[in-house]
Amino acid sequence: MLAVFSSTIISPPEELIQAGNRTPSPKKKSSSLLDDFAHRFPSSVALSISPHSYMSYTHENQIFLQPREFAVKDEIFCMFKGNLDNLASLKQQYGLGKSANEVILVMEAYRALRDRAPYTASHMLGHLVGNFAFIIFDSSTSTVFVASDDGGKIPLFLGITADGYLSFSDDAEILRGSCGKSLASFPPGCFFSTTSGLKSFEHPKNKVTAEPAMEEEMWGTTFKVERPNLRTTTE
């Protein structure tokens, strides 16, 4: 799956921009990234949601226990990969029918987050149990909302193209060709949104920081959730 958004929709993390400036590397424009994805996955479906936002998805090469799903309803576009262990109880919680799958559930959970203040992202995501990564674009509000489970079992990556588009994909290589060193692995237990940037839902009080990667690594930076210092006492 691939999602590409211009800076008019969402601002890329400053740490990713700095990583690309620190170690200049070849990049491509967002249009080339989308073309590369379509060429690599001929059966993929591409959506031009607006002049500033694009999504592409495919079922090619997917793992049985990590299926990819896509749905759109009421201007909410969602790509989901993985599975939820507590899907049945969540469907009851959100008043969904028995036939609803993970991608429908996540869209409804996002809708509740959007419409039921002060419902928080950490509260909403903390109820999702399983291995998952998803990308949501709400065209009614021009909002991007991306999240990965706290175990990091589903790979997800983010990078910046040559023309400044922030891109998300479960395929690191497809991003590497267009983003160069402006590339990072999405940190587990975190979410990224238009309104809040990159935050931890597993540890909502802790900051997400970035460490420059080693020169030989494919990443330009590594995002990590700060852990509070534990004080020890001696008698």
Side-chain angles (χ1 to χ4, degrees), residues 26-30 160-165 178-179:
K27 292 185 177 184
K28 297 179 183 179
K29 291 185 177 181
S30 54
I160 306 172
T161 63
D163 49 348
Y165 278 62
S178 294
C179 302

Side-chain angles (χ1 to χ4, degrees), residues 43 77 151 188:
S43 66
F77 297 76

Side-chain angles (χ1 to χ4, degrees), residues 162-223:
D163 49 348
Y165 278 62
L166 182 59
S167 306
F168 300 89
S169 181
D170 59 341
D171 188 325
E173 287 301 321
I174 203 74
L175 289 186
R176 186 180 186 184
S178 294
C179 302
K181 283 289 186 177
S182 295
L183 178 66
S185 179
F186 198 92
C190 291
F191 68 95
F192 189 88
S193 76
T194 302
T195 56
S196 65
L198 188 58
K199 302 285 186 181
S200 170
F201 68 83
E202 186 183 14
H203 302 285
K205 294 183 179 180
N206 298 354
K207 293 182 179 180
V208 179
T209 59
E211 296 180 0
M214 302 297 291
E215 182 67 29
E216 63 273 11
E217 294 182 274
M218 68 179 293
W219 320 115
T221 191
T222 300
F223 290 104

Side-chain angles (χ1 to χ4, degrees), residues 2-28:
L2 173 67
V4 183
F5 306 102
S6 81
S7 58
T8 63
I9 299 292
I10 189 167
S11 299
E14 183 63 31
E15 296 87 349
L16 273 186
I17 298 174
Q18 293 174 0
N21 294 337
R22 183 172 57 249
T23 309
S25 53
K27 292 185 177 184
K28 297 179 183 179

Side-chain angles (χ1 to χ4, degrees), residues 78-94:
C78 181
M79 292 187 293
F80 180 96
K81 181 176 180 180
N83 58 80
L84 296 175
D85 298 335
N86 61 338
L87 178 61
S89 62
L90 288 173
K91 285 191 289 187
Q92 291 183 339
Q93 177 181 333
Y94 287 101

Side-chain angles (χ1 to χ4, degrees), residues 104-155:
I104 297 299
L105 183 284
V106 165
M107 291 170 67
E108 190 59 34
Y110 164 78
R111 191 194 309 275
L113 173 65
R114 183 191 66 184
D115 298 342
R116 301 178 191 172
Y119 196 62
T120 66
S122 295
H123 179 79
M124 171 264 208
L125 293 167
H127 281 83
L128 305 182
V129 179
N131 302 324
F132 63 85
F134 65 80
I135 304 165
I136 286 176
F137 179 62
D138 183 349
S139 63
S140 67
T141 59
S142 294
T143 297
V144 177
F145 189 76
V146 182
S148 175
D149 71 82
D150 55 8
K153 296 294 181 64
I154 304 297

